[in-house]
Amino acid sequence: MEQTQTETRTTRKDALKRTWRRELLRLWLLTPGILALALTMLARANPDACEHIFSRGVYPWVSSIWGYLPSLTSFSVAQWVVVIAVVSIACILIYYIMRIITRRGERLRYLYRIVTSLLAIASIALFLYAMLCGLNYYRLTFAQNEGFDVRESTTQELVDLCSELTVELNATRAEIGDDMQAHIDERGGFAGYAVRSVDEMKVLAEQYTTLERPVYSQPKPVTFFSWLMSYGDITGMYFAFTVESNINTLPPFYTIPATMGHELAHQCGYMREDEANFIAYLACKQSGDPLIRYSGYSLAYSYAISALASVDENAARQVATGLSDAARADRMENAEFWAQYDGPFRNFAQQANDAYLKANDQSDGVRSYGRMVDLLLAERRG
């Protein structure tokens, strides 16, 4: 009898050991995350190698293959991925918490499982993020790749830039005519401009070849969460896990073509916000559609006049008086739109975005958007 009890205890110990050996195998799921961190460190230390091996070599093909199926849809797959991910993680947490509560003898094992499951999800997500956009933060800049002479400029150069953008704004706004909505409807609304935005990027890629990629996924309208994006002061979002450019559809439409260009620039591998804005401007200003040009000039004007106001407020006021009534009314409409979403969530979203940018070596955080003006001035100098 005593021997039988001893054998039983030994059998249980052996079974427990086998169980934990199997459980420890779950740690292999952390391998993708470790690999992602290693690749990120290598990319950060070797931007030239990151540029030529990953950003121009691996990334365009991997992201095009991965994002091909989502690119075939007219809706944002990203929205569904977010919903499914949140629900799935919630279900996993509930399942394991219930097991911890009800399985007294196995609480430690189920606690271990819940921790390793969450770490495994984070590990796989981190690897996908690195391969589908993250490493691009450490590539050479667009200015370095395409030869833009970015340097300090005089206030007069900034005044001249703002004045020229004012002229372009007024001219393109006049081309659109009094009924902007009719112009938008005639060209197919959001869907029509999504197609055009890709066409404009392809044309721009003929001049700036680092924008080339096998598959360009058309910008997608965010139908579920545009209201939430508005509260967060977010006009668009590149979602790496589906390789999609997601667009907030609620702001005044004249701002949307530039947003499409910005998110497509991320899709093309340029993750820095100032560069994405500048690439959007370049794509828009070459268009045959005056609304697209107007959108690009509006984006550039907003950053340029803000930069001028920070160094010479009187000069900025003087330049602003040159705006046409129609252009001024559009800008007022846009300001009023965003004002209605002002609140605590916007501050939280901006702080989160700031932290995200800094985590990806954009040390100025959200202030990096202002560097677009240096690129505009460099382009103006030729």
Side-chain angles (χ1 to χ4, degrees):
M1 182 71 175
E2 207 173 298
Q3 186 177 359
T4 303
Q5 289 178 344
T6 302
E7 289 175 352
T8 300
R9 284 196 294 270
T10 302
T11 302
R12 284 177 181 171
K13 285 181 181 179
D14 291 342
L16 188 61
K17 285 180 181 179
R18 287 195 298 271
T19 297
W20 276 104
R21 284 196 197 101
R22 288 196 300 270
E23 293 294 346
L24 288 173
L25 291 175
R26 294 166 66 87
L27 294 177
W28 282 103
L29 293 172
L30 303 184
T31 304
I34 295 169
L35 179 58
L37 291 174
L39 290 172
T40 299
M41 292 173 64
L42 284 171
R44 183 185 283 118
N46 301 278
D48 192 69
C50 178
E51 175 68 35
H52 293 93
I53 296 172
F54 179 77
S55 298
R56 298 196 202 181
V58 175
Y59 169 75
W61 287 100
V62 168
S63 61
S64 292
I65 292 168
W66 184 269
Y68 178 70
L69 289 179
S71 76
L72 300 179
T73 70
S74 59
F75 61 89
S76 171
V77 176
Q79 295 179 107
W80 292 102
V81 169
V82 170
V83 171
I84 292 169
V86 170
V87 172
S88 298
I89 291 172
C91 289
I92 290 171
L93 287 172
I94 292 169
Y95 172 81
Y96 282 121
I97 289 171
M98 292 302 296
R99 288 297 181 274
I100 290 170
I101 294 171
T102 58
R103 301 289 183 88
R104 293 184 180 180
E106 297 181 286
R107 284 176 176 172
L108 182 60
R109 184 160 70 92
Y110 281 111
L111 180 60
Y112 168 83
R113 279 198 168 192
I114 195 172
V115 171
T116 54
S117 293
L118 293 176
L119 287 175
I121 291 170
S123 172
I124 294 167
L126 182 60
F127 179 77
L128 290 174
Y129 173 80
M131 298 305 296
L132 296 172
C133 85
L135 297 185
N136 283 325
Y137 277 103
Y138 311 106
R139 70 183 299 180
L140 300 179
T141 67
F142 186 71
Q144 289 172 318
N145 282 329
E146 304 298 349
F148 286 96
D149 180 21
V150 177
R151 53 184 167 86
E152 289 187 12
S153 305
T154 65
T155 301
Q156 187 56 51
E157 284 181 289
L158 190 52
V159 170
D160 293 342
L161 171 66
C162 291
S163 298
E164 290 169 10
L165 289 171
T166 301
V167 172
E168 296 293 353
L169 264 180
N170 292 341
T172 50
R173 184 62 182 88
E175 280 187 67
I176 295 167
D178 295 333
D179 193 346
M180 183 184 289
Q181 189 57 52
H183 180 97
I184 295 166
D185 292 340
E186 285 172 8
R187 287 156 179 78
F190 187 99
Y193 277 96
V195 173
R196 286 182 181 82
S197 68
V198 170
D199 291 340
E200 304 299 353
M201 193 60 69
K202 287 179 178 178
V203 171
L204 189 65
E206 294 175 5
Q207 181 178 358
Y208 302 109
T209 56
T210 56
L211 297 171
E212 291 179 348
R213 56 181 288 109
V215 175
Y216 295 83
S217 180
Q218 290 178 15
K220 308 290 186 64
V222 176
T223 53
F224 296 161
F225 303 119
S226 278
W227 61 274
L228 187 60
M229 293 173 74
S230 297
Y231 277 111
D233 198 25
I234 299 169
T235 56
M237 181 180 294
Y238 173 66
F239 193 71
F241 301 105
T242 56
V243 195
E244 287 180 306
S245 302
N246 297 276
I247 310 299
N248 181 345
T249 60
L250 297 181
F253 194 90
Y254 80 88
T255 66
I256 287 179
T259 302
M260 290 178 174
H262 176 106
E263 300 308 327
L264 281 172
H266 287 328
Q267 194 180 124
C268 292
Y270 283 100
M271 302 308 299
R272 295 178 179 91
E273 299 299 330
D274 53 325
E275 293 184 339
N277 277 334
F278 181 62
I279 292 166
Y281 161 75
L282 292 178
C284 287
K285 77 167 191 167
Q286 66 178 0
S287 176
D289 186 323
L291 180 64
I292 296 178
R293 295 202 307 278
Y294 183 62
S295 188
Y297 286 127
S298 295
L299 176 68
Y301 177 85
S302 293
Y303 283 100
I305 201 70
S306 178
L308 179 57
S310 69
V311 295
D312 191 335
E313 194 170 344
N314 289 330
R317 252 193 234 105
Q318 183 61 37
V319 171
T321 61
L323 283 176
S324 68
D325 290 341
R328 190 175 290 108
D330 291 338
R331 296 182 67 77
M332 181 64 70
E333 178 192 5
N334 192 48
E336 289 173 352
F337 169 82
W338 289 107
Q340 67 183 316
Y341 290 98
D342 195 15
F345 184 75
R346 175 175 294 184
N347 294 331
F348 169 77
Q350 287 178 340
Q351 289 172 5
N353 191 33
D354 187 64
Y356 167 77
L357 294 173
K358 288 178 178 177
N360 285 286
D361 274 16
Q362 294 193 63
S363 58
D364 290 339
V366 292
R367 288 180 296 167
S368 67
Y369 295 178
R371 288 196 297 249
M372 177 192 179
V373 178
D374 293 331
L375 287 163
L376 290 169
L377 289 163
E379 191 245 353
R380 182 176 177 272
R381 283 192 293 268

